[in-house]
Amino acid sequence: MKSEVLYPGAFPMVRVELVSGEHIKAESGAMVGSSPTVDVESKMEGGFLGALSRKLLTGEKFFFQTLRASRGPGEVLLAPTVPGEIVILELDGVNEYMVQKDGFLAGADTVNIESKMQSLSRGLLGGEGFFILKIGGKGTLVLNSFGAIHKIELKPDQEYIVDNSHLVAWSATTSYNIEKAASGWVASFTSGEGLVCRFRGPGIVYIQSRNPGSFGAWIRQFIPVSE
Amino acid sequence: MTTTFSPNALCFGEEFPASGAPCLVHIEGDGLTITHEPTVSISPSERVLFTELAVSVGGLDHDQLVLKWGEGAQARTLYLKHSDLIRAFREAAPEHLNQPFEQAAERVRQMRHRHRVMWASVGGAILAVVLGLWFGADLLIELAVSRIPVEWEQKLGEAAYRDFLSHQEVMKEGPAVKAVEEMTQRLAEQIPNNPYTFQVTVVKSDVVNAFALPGGYVVVFTGLMKKADSGEEVAGVLGHELNHVLQRHGLERIVKNLGVMAAVSILVGDQQGLVGLMRQVGVELLTLTFDRAQETEADLTGLQLVYRAKIDPHGMITFFQKLSEKDEGRMEWLSTHPMSSARADRLKAELAALPKRSSEPFTFEWKTVQEALGVQPVAVP
């Protein structure tokens, strides 16, 4: 699997080259175009119950699609639903990433994806919901974000504070706590930040430059109210 | 190198990338050997003694063993994740190194326990809410229905009523219509603060049935009137149907069909959006059946109404009994009003509890009404 990001910026697309017989998994509905040698299959990753739990719990689509170059080499074009950047990671088999539910776009078949329940406080307050994806294994992983993706590198014990709901992915070696943005509750919410996540290294945190929830709230005011 | 490099840990330090460098850790004798990936520009392998190590626990779920050694630019942090490796370390490492690990493990255990307790209580709370909704649904629906204005109910009922009558042969005048009007008037007079104007229509059909729509629209089929042996019997059925209207049973069924969410939105005040939804359901009004509790309520309040109107309540009971006997002919009232002798018995018991009271006859002759409907007088042998 060789991949490159086309048109980097707000409306990017990924081109993935597959050798004959190779296959990748992608978020269902992500395929834009492909060579005629590539077949689209839907596959319930982790079996029926796994897929069901992922659908019910993370809100992630029930099926991933499998794109298989079954009749010779070919290429696939993939794009996310929302405007925003795409980042390609190479997983080394040891590093694992936690990915918020909308962040996964595609991955090599050797990449493992599982739903994971967060703790109550992280689930309620972290802005990613109770269930996130834990992605490990070895191979290429393609993530997408809403807005631009910013990478934060943390040395051991280095800390960084991220507004909740700006998170895209973070390595499993980091840990985070939910905190009030300001010292008092009132100041926390009147500042517009509310709750933040305090990350502690080592590891990498990918954040998105836009907050989908806030964008939704903003756009809602322009939608005409129907009778 | 002939063998493939399969790392089992992540090493962090000044010269490594922020995501950590994959490395291979071996636990041997009094320390560990760390082998780096051949591409890394530093010495491919290093040996660290247990005595140099500081042990703690880290990672998102506090499930990784963190080993630290060195100072300044030489400071290294190692994250062990594989449980086999962690077990090997604990077996080989001296006692004092395992102590912080045991403490950390204890903390993790406590935290997991706390999480379990928290999730259990959240689950319990959700279950309680669901159960509350399940069993409190009737109460919720009643509350919601009481918020719906009568004018709406009338609009809703009227639409279905007009729709129904457009396909039927309506009896406009004659003794039967007069008789039904008199019954309705006598019954309606006995309803205090009645918000409804009852509109009763006689429809020519052999169906033995009568039904009420929300808003006070009642239909009586001539088949039912032919089947009845007295005006009092028909009045009993009317009393029952009028009480379906008064108790707003139809609305309750609609709101129930729309679901608890509808009830909640009515209660919190979003009534406008519901009108459209209810219009849709209004079409189904005619096929609406009432539940057992509603039927019983309409029976009892109907009996009381008939009693107050000084109409002989025995008519209601005899008619119910008649319907409960397996009879030939189309007994539609039975299908929408499942009749049982228990129902008639309950009414009998209820009537026995009421003080005896003389009843006033109707001004019409039932025989004339029936003859007008085309019933042949039965010759008494």
Side-chain angles (χ1 to χ4, degrees):
Chain A
M1 171 180 180
K2 225 170 85 185
S3 46
E4 66 169 319
V5 177
L6 309 174
Y7 322 112
F11 302 100
M13 193 154 72
V14 192
R15 182 169 68 204
V16 181
E17 281 175 31
L18 300 173
V19 298
S20 185
E22 194 179 17
H23 59 288
I24 58 165
K25 9 184 185 221
E27 186 193 10
S28 85
M31 195 198 78
V32 177
S34 77
S35 310
T37 50
V38 175
D39 286 339
V40 182
E41 302 159 11
S42 72
K43 185 181 166 195
M44 290 177 285
E45 184 73 18
F48 180 76
L49 284 179
L52 191 67
S53 76
R54 198 171 49 245
K55 168 69 190 164
L56 294 179
L57 304 180
T58 67
E60 179 59 72
K61 308 228 167 73
F62 189 78
F63 295 98
F64 286 117
Q65 53 178 207
T66 300
L67 299 160
R68 187 189 301 271
S70 40
R71 291 182 301 277
E75 67 163 34
V76 179
L77 299 177
L78 299 169
T81 313
V82 293
E85 228 177 321
I86 290 176
V87 66
I88 296 175
L89 305 181
E90 281 301 328
L91 296 188
D92 50 27
V94 188
N95 253 308
E96 283 176 324
Y97 284 92
M98 317 308 287
V99 178
Q100 61 98 347
K101 60 183 191 291
D102 295 322
F104 175 81
L105 182 62
D109 194 54
T110 46
V111 165
N112 303 319
I113 302 167
E114 56 179 295
S115 296
K116 199 168 172 306
M117 192 162 80
Q118 299 222 75
S119 73
L120 192 66
S121 60
R122 281 178 185 165
L124 271 180
L125 309 173
E128 292 79 47
F130 284 106
F131 294 87
I132 52 175
L133 301 174
K134 182 181 187 179
I135 301 183
K138 198 165 177 154
T140 308
L141 170 65
V142 185
L143 300 179
N144 73 277
S145 68
F146 183 55
I149 290 191
H150 181 67
K151 180 181 183 181
I152 298 165
E153 301 191 337
L154 297 176
K155 293 279 171 209
D157 294 331
Q158 191 186 346
E159 290 189 349
Y160 206 85
I161 289 167
V162 180
D163 185 295
N164 55 357
S165 66
H166 276 270
L167 289 171
V168 178
W170 56 100
S171 16
T173 50
T174 61
S175 62
Y176 76 91
N177 294 318
I178 312 274
E179 297 180 352
K180 305 187 291 284
S183 54
W185 278 107
V186 177
S188 282
F189 285 95
T190 50
S191 73
E193 292 307 325
L195 297 164
V196 293
C197 305
R198 179 188 289 264
F199 273 89
R200 174 187 275 264
I204 292 178
V205 180
Y206 289 95
I207 60 173
Q208 52 195 6
S209 63
R210 291 291 179 276
N211 176 340
S214 305
F215 182 71
W218 177 79
I219 214 161
R220 204 168 298 136
Q221 60 186 318
F222 301 109
I223 299 175
V225 181
S226 57
E227 278 297 303
Chain B
M1 251 192 179
T2 48
T3 52
T4 49
F5 181 73
S6 54
N8 58 3
L10 282 171
C11 190
F12 296 86
E14 278 296 316
E15 60 270 65
F16 299 120
S19 57
C23 58
L24 186 62
V25 173
H26 270 302
I27 291 157
E28 297 169 311
D30 58 352
L32 18 130
T33 314
I34 301 136
T35 315
H36 292 287
E37 213 168 351
T39 50
V40 177
S41 57
I42 56 151
S43 57
S45 124
E46 60 184 309
R47 173 132 186 103
V48 187
L49 297 178
F50 285 133
T51 49
E52 298 171 54
L53 291 174
V55 179
S56 60
V57 170
L60 202 60
D61 295 319
H62 306 280
D63 57 354
Q64 309 199 23
L65 184 62
V66 182
L67 306 175
K68 290 183 182 185
W69 69 94
E71 271 173 27
Q74 294 302 306
R76 291 282 161 79
T77 308
L78 201 62
Y79 271 72
L80 306 186
K81 188 168 171 55
H82 287 275
S83 46
D84 290 345
L85 193 60
I86 294 175
R87 203 173 302 122
F89 179 87
R90 290 182 61 188
E91 277 163 12
E95 194 62 31
H96 75 275
L97 276 185
N98 275 327
Q99 225 164 19
F101 186 76
E102 295 298 345
Q103 285 165 0
E106 184 55 37
R107 271 205 306 281
V108 170
R109 267 197 291 278
Q110 277 173 5
M111 203 173 62
R112 283 193 184 146
H113 179 69
R114 261 210 313 278
H115 284 172
R116 266 201 293 276
V117 169
M118 227 140 83
W119 277 108
S121 49
V122 167
I126 292 171
L127 194 71
V129 168
V130 169
L131 285 179
L133 278 178
W134 187 263
F135 292 109
D138 285 345
L139 190 70
L140 198 68
I141 286 164
E142 243 167 73
L143 269 174
V145 164
S146 69
R147 295 274 302 260
I148 297 176
V150 171
E151 298 86 71
W152 282 23
E153 203 182 339
Q154 281 169 339
K155 266 186 213 158
L156 196 70
E158 198 185 345
Y161 186 60
R162 299 256 168 272
D163 188 50
F164 175 74
L165 291 185
S166 64
H167 310 301
Q168 303 291 333
E169 196 182 340
V170 177
M171 202 176 246
K172 295 239 164 54
E173 48 190 14
V177 177
K178 283 224 167 60
V180 168
E181 273 168 3
E182 185 185 330
M183 292 171 198
T184 312
Q185 200 195 336
R186 272 183 67 173
L187 290 169
E189 274 168 4
Q190 298 304 319
I191 302 163
N193 308 321
N194 179 16
Y196 303 98
T197 3
F198 292 113
Q199 208 168 323
V200 182
T201 310
V202 180
V203 167
K204 270 188 205 163
S205 165
D206 284 338
V207 177
V208 182
N209 200 1
F211 66 84
L213 290 168
Y217 301 92
V218 182
V219 171
V220 182
F221 294 99
T222 49
L224 184 124
M225 297 180 79
K226 285 182 195 166
K227 183 89 191 160
D229 288 329
S230 72
E232 280 76 10
E233 292 188 351
V234 177
V237 171
L238 271 179
H240 170 96
E241 292 301 337
L242 293 190
N243 272 291
H244 274 316
V245 174
L246 292 172
Q247 318 288 341
R248 308 183 104 181
H249 286 160
L251 273 192
E252 279 176 18
R253 295 305 294 177
I254 293 174
V255 172
K256 210 169 211 167
N257 283 5
L258 288 180
V260 174
M261 284 313 291
V264 172
S265 67
I266 293 172
L267 283 179
V268 298
D270 176 27
Q271 303 193 353
Q272 283 306 320
L274 248 115
V275 181
L277 200 55
M278 287 179 57
R279 281 259 164 83
Q280 284 177 5
V281 179
V283 181
E284 293 167 32
L285 273 176
L286 296 169
T287 57
L288 218 57
T289 55
F290 300 111
D291 65 32
R292 198 173 288 259
Q294 288 177 328
E295 289 299 344
T296 308
E297 194 183 10
D299 279 357
L300 295 182
T301 50
L303 182 79
Q304 283 158 8
L305 184 62
V306 166
Y307 175 81
R308 281 206 306 276
K310 294 188 180 165
I311 298 168
D312 186 4
H314 290 98
M316 187 174 183
I317 296 169
T318 52
F319 196 58
F320 276 27
Q321 273 171 337
K322 201 180 295 173
L323 291 177
S324 72
E325 288 159 15
K326 291 241 170 0
D327 206 354
E328 83 285 352
R330 299 169 67 191
M331 304 289 269
E332 300 286 328
W333 214 65
L334 277 179
S335 62
T336 47
H337 298 74
M339 193 56 62
S340 65
S341 51
R343 233 172 120 181
D345 290 346
R346 199 179 295 123
L347 286 180
K348 260 188 215 160
E350 181 72 15
L351 184 60
L354 293 170
K356 286 269 182 301
R357 193 168 174 180
S358 63
S359 44
E360 292 173 13
F362 292 110
T363 56
F364 52 82
E365 274 289 326
W366 188 244
K367 255 192 192 127
T368 344
V369 172
Q370 286 209 311
E371 273 163 25
L373 289 173
V375 177
Q376 300 299 321
V378 183
V380 184

